[in-house]
Every structure is written in structure tokens, then in C-alpha cells.
Amino acid sequence: MPTPSTRADEFYETGCQNRKGPKTAADYAKVMQRSHEAAVTVDSVTIFGLCRTRDWLVKSITAKLRAAKTFDELKGAAFQSRDQMARHGIFKEIDVELDRNTEHGASTGGVAVTINVEERGLLGGKVRMDTTAGEARGLAEITLVQPTGNGETVSFSGSQSTGDSSTVQVRCSVPISDEPDWAVNFGAFQNKDALLASHAVQQNRGLFSEYKTWSGFGQHLLRYDAVWRHLMAPSEKASFAVREEAGHSLKSSISHIATFDRRDSDGLGSLYTLQNEAAGFGGDCHFLKHTAGVTHRTDIGHGCVLRLSCRGGLLDPLPAGKIMKTLAPTSAPNVGPVAQPHLVDRFFLGGCTDVRGFATRGIGPRERDDALGGDAFIAAAAHLYTPIPIERLREQNDRIRCHFFANGGSCVKTPPGMSVRNKAQTLGSGFAVAVGAGLAVQMTDTIDLELNYCVPVLYGATDSPWQGVQFGISLGTL
């Protein structure tokens, strides 16, 4: 983040008794200390460059800057104001300038704050490539940036992969306050996923709405989904268990996603995620689904970084109509039998971006060659990133690092009604483990492009180990 211009430093230095300037480093430190602690009065805050943006979206900026009482407080408020405006995602450039107020009648120690912004164009777009689940994928997006001037964005996006997976989505995001962490999102989507590990194709069409907010603990997202799903098993290789799941289903669910990010600008620190989903507000899917994860990255010296990750989840089927009967005891229909979780709602584990050393969805229950997923899983990993030992290569590109890892996990399907303790014991008895080494290219602070040689060391009869070279993108979650 660029440092706000602070020509006011010069103004406060000339106001000191030592008019000829400091003669020693100690004198200079005293001068700077006095200047930073000097009382200030913000006489004016002017924002240039607002064309479509409405005033209410930046109104709190003025209040924060005017509340500053010392020069240090003013500089801190300038940084916070710039960050707040940047996180709205509607400005290309933001420059904050602090200067002495030279207008006639200005107060003693008065400061004029000038904010110069450049708004993003009304129409934007991007095209990129990535990989997911071992497939190459191309994505394109067209965005309308605040067409009404209220900070909203409307995006039209689509993607197509080499494995016949595709996505089309329309999404609108509207801020509900001048704080960028408070917003309402809604839209519609259609996607088609080739579930190669299960010899099936899944097509979803749905609507969603989201409420995004923030607390002292982190970011929260409350989401409602209404999804019409169609599972097809066109392949002759599909097992009977997959064909039995084929057909249409309707899921109506509410989810809460909490993200607690304690990482610094270098990606070091901890990231905690917690997600809970309740399905059964209509439709024919009835369950409670819980997942949690934690990732910690730390610098252990000599250019080496250690990353530790752990994830887990539980899927509890509910009797049909249980949630609606609880909400409306008199008008809702009677509660039916326990509904078994659908194939597409279960947990899957394994792959080049998940538990390395195993095929995609290669850990857990299977029938013939089809992954069936489970209702409980746990996974953990330890990664060590070190500089490349060849100095010439290290000097040319310090983003390429050696990568050593050990990871493992378990994914099981349990009978309805089993206690959490018994599920934990079942998970522990079916743990799969792999180790490996390779190269990692640091794309961002949290995303790496990996090329590893993997060696599975422990696995069960239904697991699909992958000994050899694996390539993929690590999102830093495991």
C-alpha cells in the first residue's frame, strides 16, 4: 500500500525552536517525535475524482479524518481511509495527501486533507486459466462496476474445462453501508461437473442470496441456496451404487461460513474456517453438514517456511421434514424416515490439491472404480518449503522453492445414528498416508503451483494410491 503523502512533516519541523534544523541524529529524532505528537486540526477533507460514486459511500471517510487530534492519529486515519476505499473494489487509484492549510483564516496547526481517486470504468472484464481436480479450465468474466453509483457490481462469468465441466453465473453485489465488509449478494447459476471419479455427470441450476458481514473475530457469510440438481450416469462403467443415485433432487439450504484470517501481508500466520449447512427448508434433501479447518504458516529461518494444516467434517442425515416441523409444528407435514445423504452432498478426499499421493477422490468408500464419498472425514498435512540449493536458479527466481510434505486423511461412511465418538474411532482406523517432495512455484502469498513425486506409505483396500509425479495448484487449505 503506498504511503500517504505527508508534507505536513516539514511544516511541523519548521515550527520547532531549532530553526536551523537538527544537528545530530538524536536531535532529529526529538524533532520528529515532537512533530508526530503535535496537535492538529483537520480544517478540510476534499475528495477529487468522484464521478459516478455517490457521497454516502465515502461519508465515514470524512468523519474519521476530522476526528484525528494528533499528527500520528491523522496519518493512521489516512491509511485506514485508503484501505476502506480500496476494499470497495470500485477505484483504480487512491492517493491521500496531507498538507498545511494555507487559506486565509485557517486555524493554528490546521491541515487540509486531499484525496484523489480514479474510478474503475463502467465495464470491465478478465480472462484467465487455472487447473482444478486435474483439469485445465478457462474462465471469462464481464463486470459492470456501480452502474447506479452505489458501489454495486454486476458480473457475468463463465468457465469451461477440458473435462467437459462448465459454469455460467450472474452475480450482483450491493454494499449496505459505507463499510465494504457489509454487503448483500444474490444471483443465479448453472454448472455442469464431470465427476470422473464416479463415472457420472452432475448438473445444477439454482438461485442464491448472501449476507456478508464482519465482527471482531472475522468475516461471516450467511447464504441461502435453492438448487435443482440432476445426476446423470451416462457411462457404462458406472456402478450400480452410482446409477441408484441418478436422477433429480432439490436442495433448499441455509449456510453460515465464518473465516478468521490472522495472516500478515506475507501470508504468515493462521487461517481458521468454519462452515455449517442445514438442508431441509423444502426440497428432498435433509441433513446437517459441518466442516472446519485451520492452516498455519511460519517462517523457521534461513528462508524456510513450515505450513501445518488440518480439516474435518461431519454429515448428519435428518428425518424428512424435521426442520420444517421444528419451525412450524402445527402446519408442517409429519416427520418421515431418515433421508440418506445424496452422493453429491457427501465428503470426498484425495487428489493433487487435496491429500497428495492419491487419485482424485481416491480415499474412502468405493464400489468397483467409483468413489461414493463418506459422511465423515479428517485430513492433516505438514509442508516444508526451502530455497533451491542451486544459487544461480535461486537468484533468477526466488519464487521457485523445494517442497517436502507428509499428509494423510480418512473418509468413511457410517450407519445412521452412530455417535460422534464411534465415528472418530472409525476414522482413525482407516487413515491413509503419503509423503513426497518436489518443486513449488509461489503464485501468491497463499497459492502455489506444485510438481511433486509422491509415495503412498499407508492405505486401505478401497483407496486409490498414486505413486509417481503429481501436478496441481495448492490453495493453502491442506
Side-chain angles (χ1 to χ4, degrees), residues 26-49:
D27 292 336
Y28 182 77
K30 292 179 181 179
V31 170
M32 293 303 297
Q33 180 70 18
R34 285 196 297 268
S35 68
H36 287 180
E37 294 177 354
V40 298
T41 301
V42 179
D43 289 339
S44 65
V45 178
T46 308
I47 303 177
F48 293 103

Side-chain angles (χ1 to χ4, degrees), residues 271 273 292-296 308-312 377-382 476-478:
L271 174 66
T273 57
V294 58
T295 297
H296 181 75
L308 304 175
S309 302
C310 184
R311 292 170 50 218
F377 86 98
I378 189 170
T477 56
L478 191 65

